[in-house]
Amino acid sequence: MKELLLLVFLVPIIGSFLLPLAARLSEALRNVLSLVFVLAAFGCSAAMAPAALRGEPLFVSYELPIGFSFGFNADGLAVFMALIASFVGAIIVIYSFTYIEHSDHKNEYYLMVTLFIGAMMGLVYSTNLIFIYVFWEVSAVSCWQLIGYYREPEHVLRADKAFLITVFGALVMLMGFMLIYQQTGTFDITEMRGAELSNVTVLLVLVGLLSKSATLPLHTWLPDAGVAPSPVTSLLHAAVLVKIGVYAFARFFIFSFSVDPVWHRAVPIIAACSALVSAGAAMCEYDIKRIIAYSTISQIAFIFLGLSIDNTLGISGGLLYIMMHSLAKGGLFLCAGVVEHNTHTKDIRQLGGLIRTMPVTAVTFLVCAFSIMGLPPLGGFFSKYMVVSGAVEANHPWVAVVFVCGTLMTIMYLMRVFNAVFLGSSPAKIADIKEGSRSMVGSAVALAVLSVVGGLLVYFPSEFVKSIVIQIGGLL
């Protein structure tokens, strides 16, 4: 089992560099190997899940010469995040088979997608702050390359913008890690549990988390990243990349360090402003991918609100919404990709009536949208209900008010998109557009079905996240 803890990130990372070599033999072999490497990460995480559920996390540590420790820990939180990232990653790799079939630089694409999944695995399982930073930056490089995938000058500029903002945040976070080391004498999180951090240290680390999770005021790179291929926006900017920030927030400020109570008031205020401002921006946009990107910023802020509530119910709801949002928002981006791929436009003003020619995509989009809106019986409803209940239980009614207002705005802008794209009359130039390929539509449908199943069988994932909060210890 300990070997699995190393294979879970080594297989996709090392395997990613073998993909260009495999492409010399066959492009189909390269595509399949990419999927196999990502599925290997999912399989290793799934094999470690039973032990994590029993409260028996696996731990591997190697001492390095200069005082660092190369440590990995498969506790419930790490396994939970790894399962989500690798599973959604596998679905998106399948979607990519058709989407980028006729694009250039396909070797680079599969290398970077697989490398990103490997970096995510290394980040969530690592117990050393320096290695967390290293994997954090590997994910930033992969993101940079994938956003600028089409090589257009405007695309490269937007990729550079995303890279600069997230790397700046990571460097500020690294300074916070240095202060933690100065205070505790170690970079190993498992050895500093309960350590009290100064407000300066918390602020430095928080800047890095907010930049990666695209939270106000460091959010502007995410809507601009919509120039990337749709599977990239789904993987990096809806399902996985922006979740790194909320994962690290939970790991550091809920399950590891003790911080001044003022941060349990400041973070919800930042999150509330981010949620409402980004929802307002989504209501004014006409680019379908930018609308969904602003929606991501808003929903990530809701997750921050849940995690900042100091009780088991609120934190569990925030963690559960990481899963439900990844499934549904990933599905929305994949549906948007089908529309863009077939109509060659992202402007909702130039679309309409596609439900008649793309009925499966339309229904899939609507189901995923319902989950993001928080409508029962889909998965998004139960996670949001847990957060609101936790806020009321913790005597934070204003958090519940923000959630209700944000949910109403979410309904408005997502239904606006559905109405503009799928209802009404079709413009003449897209009247004959047909449904997308089986792999593309099937991938989106799979995520929509899982959003429904996640709601109907919500007991199991909700118990999993509750056990994470209880086993790791809850708030310190």
Side-chain angles (χ1 to χ4, degrees):
M1 293 296 287
K2 289 186 177 180
E3 284 74 12
L4 291 178
L5 192 48
L6 298 176
L7 292 174
V8 71
F9 69 93
L10 289 178
V11 168
I13 289 178
I14 296 175
S16 66
F17 294 99
L18 301 178
L19 296 177
L21 299 177
R24 291 179 174 270
L25 299 175
S26 167
E27 289 195 352
L29 175 62
R30 175 203 58 208
N31 300 353
V32 171
L33 282 178
S34 176
L35 178 61
V36 168
F37 294 147
V38 176
L39 285 176
F42 176 78
C44 291
S45 297
M48 294 184 287
L53 279 171
R54 294 192 302 267
E56 303 170 0
L58 298 170
F59 184 77
V60 174
S61 181
Y62 301 96
E63 293 298 325
L64 300 181
I66 55 176
F68 295 104
S69 62
F70 188 68
F72 296 89
N73 184 29
D75 62 8
L77 180 61
V79 170
F80 177 71
M81 289 297 301
L83 286 172
I84 296 171
S86 56
F87 178 80
V88 175
I91 293 291
I92 290 171
V93 169
I94 295 173
Y95 181 94
S96 302
F97 290 167
T98 302
Y99 190 93
I100 68 160
E101 183 179 9
H102 303 293
S103 301
D104 297 326
H105 318 298
K106 291 189 287 292
N107 288 343
E108 175 191 303
Y109 175 88
Y110 284 104
L111 187 156
M112 287 298 168
V113 168
T114 309
L115 178 63
F116 175 80
I117 295 298
M120 182 68 178
M121 297 300 102
L123 191 153
V124 299
Y125 285 113
S126 181
T127 62
N128 186 283
L129 293 177
I130 295 301
F131 283 103
I132 288 176
Y133 170 76
V134 170
F135 288 121
W136 192 285
E137 292 293 54
V138 171
S139 71
V141 172
S142 302
C143 175
W144 172 53
Q145 288 291 101
L146 289 168
I147 293 174
Y149 175 73
Y150 289 125
R151 303 293 200 276
E152 297 291 336
E154 181 186 1
H155 297 184
V156 173
L157 285 174
R158 294 188 177 189
D160 290 344
K161 178 181 180 180
F163 183 76
L164 290 173
I165 291 177
T166 55
V167 169
F168 164 76
L171 290 173
V172 173
M173 182 179 68
L174 181 61
M175 292 191 294
F177 289 170
M178 295 298 107
L179 292 180
I180 293 174
Y181 177 79
Q182 185 181 42
Q183 177 182 337
T184 63
T186 180
F187 287 109
D188 194 326
I189 297 176
T190 60
E191 297 181 9
M192 58 180 81
R193 180 174 170 79
E196 294 187 9
L197 300 185
S198 67
N199 287 339
V200 172
T201 303
V202 175
L203 178 61
L204 293 175
V205 174
L206 196 60
V207 168
L209 307 189
L210 296 181
S211 68
K212 186 70 83 174
S213 60
T215 300
L216 193 75
L218 301 173
H219 66 292
T220 57
W221 65 269
L222 187 64
D224 287 347
V227 297
S230 290
V232 171
T233 53
S234 180
L235 176 67
L236 303 184
H237 312 122
V240 182
L241 179 68
V242 292
K243 300 301 192 308
I244 293 176
V246 290
Y247 163 79
F249 180 85
R251 174 66 72 193
F252 295 152
F253 300 135
I254 297 177
F255 301 124
S256 297
F257 304 118
S258 179
V259 300
D260 191 310
V262 69
W263 294 104
H264 293 298
R265 296 189 294 271
V267 171
I269 292 173
I270 296 171
C273 293
S274 183
L276 299 180
V277 169
S278 55
M283 297 174 69
C284 302
E285 278 286 348
Y286 295 101
D287 184 315
I288 185 171
K289 292 171 73 173
R290 287 181 68 88
I291 294 171
I292 301 174
Y294 275 119
S295 174
T296 295
I297 298 170
S298 182
Q299 307 307 311
I300 290 294
F302 289 158
I303 295 173
F304 271 121
L305 283 173
L307 296 178
S308 60
I309 297 171
D310 54 350
N311 60 29
T312 300
L313 189 58
I315 297 171
S316 298
L319 292 177
L320 184 62
Y321 195 42
I322 292 176
M323 171 185 169
M324 299 306 179
H325 178 264
S326 295
L327 296 173
K329 186 57 65 67
L332 284 184
F333 264 115
L334 295 188
C335 289
V338 172
V339 172
E340 179 193 10
H341 192 263
N342 288 8
T343 64
H344 307 292
T345 182
K346 297 181 289 184
D347 192 333
I348 62 175
R349 294 171 295 185
Q350 300 177 19
L351 299 168
L354 292 182
I355 194 171
R356 289 185 286 274
T357 55
M358 305 172 67
V360 178
T361 300
V363 173
T364 301
F365 184 96
L366 191 61
V367 170
C368 292
F370 282 167
S371 183
I372 296 297
M373 295 174 194
L375 300 183
L378 289 96
F381 166 78
F382 295 101
S383 50
K384 289 189 173 184
Y385 176 80
M386 290 170 66
V387 172
V388 172
S389 299
V392 173
E393 183 180 296
N395 198 27
H396 297 317
W398 71 270
V399 173
V401 172
V402 170
F403 247 86
V404 172
C405 292
T407 298
L408 291 175
M409 297 175 75
T410 302
I411 293 172
M412 293 172 66
Y413 63 70
L414 287 181
M415 291 309 299
R416 169 175 170 258
V417 172
F418 182 79
N419 180 69
V421 174
F422 296 105
L423 302 182
S425 58
S426 302
K429 65 177 182 178
I430 63 171
D432 298 326
I433 293 296
K434 301 301 181 183
E435 191 67 86
S437 69
R438 290 183 179 181
S439 64
M440 290 171 63
V441 175
S443 299
V445 168
L447 294 176
V449 170
L450 287 171
S451 295
V452 176
V453 173
L456 297 177
L457 303 178
V458 71
Y459 173 81
F460 299 102
S462 64
E463 287 301 306
F464 190 2
V465 295
K466 286 180 181 178
S467 69
I468 292 173
V469 178
I470 294 171
Q471 290 171 7
I472 303 180
L475 283 172
L476 295 168

